[in-house]
Structures are given as C-alpha cells and as structure tokens.
C-alpha cells in the first residue's frame, strides 16, 4: 500500500525510532510495513525511505536506485532493507553532496557525508546485513539512518546559502 509521506514539522520525524524486536521480523505487521515502504519509495521516485517518514516510529529503512528520474546521476543500489541498522564510518574523509528528502519537498542543500561506511542490521528475511557502501550511495544510507534518529538533512547543511529548489538544482 502506498502510504502518505509526512513532511517536515511532523513530530515522528524528530523522534528516536524504536528497535524492532528481531523475533518480530517475520510478523505480518513488520512485513507489511516493509512492503509499504518499498511501494511508497518507488511511487515517489525516492532513493530511500525510512519508517518515520510514513509516521511509523520503527528502525527500518529501504534503499534502492535504478533508472530513477529524480536521481539520474546516482549509481544503482539494489533493493536493500535494513532493520535496526548500525552504520560505522570506515574513514575520516568527508565529501560534500547535494541532498534532498521526500519529507522536505522541493528543497536541496549541501551536506558532508562519509564516503565509505559499513552497514549492519537485519534484512526482511531476518538474515544479517553486513555490507560496505561507498561514494554517494554511502550518503543515501546515512541519510536514511539519520531519519531513525530524528535528524533531517537540513540539520546538517553546511551552508544555508547552498539551499535551492529542485528546479534551480537541475538548472545549475
């Protein structure tokens, strides 16, 4: 089911999401939430979507990029579901990237992200996730994980002068 994506100002976006009990991963409610996140992300042409963005306070996000009209410059990310993620940085390096968010429509801004991260957690089958993600895709995973901690990319913008609309971003 396609869910409503809540926007900046909605209280769930600023809350610390709750861990999903691992023994609940196969349950109907968790599986339906995951299916809804995937369907909603695809409908909205997002690169990722976290449960708080559909007003669900759980530590789950999905990421996927492939022929996405919103992100023609992003490399492919196969569908990845991460429950109770832990993200660690593999380097002290940082890169500046323009980010946007489905919960903050029509706005983009520059954020510093680690270009090499380790992502650990559980997938939708209850199997362990342990992967390294690099480049701007690493930023996508950090962005989604931030949602689980009540952080929006606008909190991390390095210079407010970098904020721009989608139209201006595409033009320049």
């Amino acid at each position: 089911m396609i869910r409503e994506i809540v926007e900046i100002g909605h209280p769930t976006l600023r809350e610390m999401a709750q861990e999903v009990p691992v023994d609940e991963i196969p349950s109907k409610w968790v599986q339906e939430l995951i299916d809804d996140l995937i369907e909603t992300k695809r409908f909205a042409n997002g690169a990722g979507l976290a449960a708080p963005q559909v007003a669900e306070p759980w530590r789950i996000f999905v990421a996927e990029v492939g022929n996405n009209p919103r992100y023609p410059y992003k490399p492919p990310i196969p569908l990845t579901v991460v429950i109770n993620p832990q993200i660690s940085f593999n380097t002290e390096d940082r890169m500046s990237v323009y980010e946007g968010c489905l919960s903050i429509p029509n706005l983009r801004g520059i954020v510093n992200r680690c270009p090499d991260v380790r992502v650990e957690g559980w997938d939708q089958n209850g199997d362990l996730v342990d992967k390294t993600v690099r480049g701007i895709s690493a930023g996508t995973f950090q962005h989604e994980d931030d949602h689980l901690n009540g952080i929006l990319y606008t909190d991390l913008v390095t210079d407010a002068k970098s904020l721009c609309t989608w139209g201006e971003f595409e033009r320049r």
Side-chain angles (χ1 to χ4, degrees):
M1 169 175 68
I2 296 170
R3 303 252 195 130
E4 174 188 3
I5 296 172
V6 298
E7 295 182 357
I8 190 171
H10 191 285
T12 305
L13 293 173
R14 293 304 192 168
E15 296 171 3
M16 183 71 86
Q18 303 170 51
E19 291 220 350
V20 176
V22 175
D23 62 345
E24 288 284 317
I25 292 173
S27 70
K28 183 177 179 181
W29 75 268
V30 173
Q31 293 299 311
E32 285 180 353
L33 176 55
I34 291 167
D35 290 344
D36 291 354
L37 287 171
I38 293 166
E39 190 174 348
T40 303
K41 182 208 74 64
R42 288 176 175 166
F43 179 78
N45 289 320
L49 191 68
Q53 292 182 271
V54 295
E56 293 283 353
W58 298 102
R59 298 188 73 76
I60 304 173
F61 70 74
V62 300
E64 178 186 44
V65 175
N67 298 321
N68 188 322
R70 276 185 82 198
Y71 300 106
Y73 55 89
K74 282 195 173 202
I77 299 173
L79 177 61
T80 306
V81 175
V82 188
I83 301 166
N84 301 335
Q86 297 291 319
I87 294 183
S88 52
F89 299 160
N90 294 329
T91 179
E92 296 296 319
D93 295 341
R94 296 295 179 266
M95 62 181 183
S96 295
V97 293
Y98 264 98
E99 288 193 10
C101 181
L102 295 172
S103 292
I104 308 172
N106 199 33
L107 192 66
R108 297 185 64 74
I110 294 177
V111 176
N112 287 328
R113 294 290 187 187
C114 181
D116 187 348
V117 298
R118 181 178 183 187
V119 180
E120 299 173 274
W122 306 92
D123 70 11
Q124 69 269 34
N125 300 315
D127 295 327
L128 288 173
V129 172
D130 188 350
K131 64 189 295 169
T132 298
V133 184
R134 294 185 176 95
I136 60 173
S137 297
T140 299
F141 282 79
Q142 291 165 77
H143 176 108
E144 297 311 326
D145 189 61
D146 283 347
H147 277 298
L148 307 181
N149 298 307
I151 298 168
L152 300 175
Y153 86 91
T154 49
D155 301 332
L156 307 174
V157 168
T158 57
D159 181 353
K161 291 178 184 176
S162 73
L163 292 169
C164 62
T165 64
W166 267 99
E168 288 301 317
F169 174 77
E170 289 176 340
R171 273 193 277 289
R172 300 176 203 296

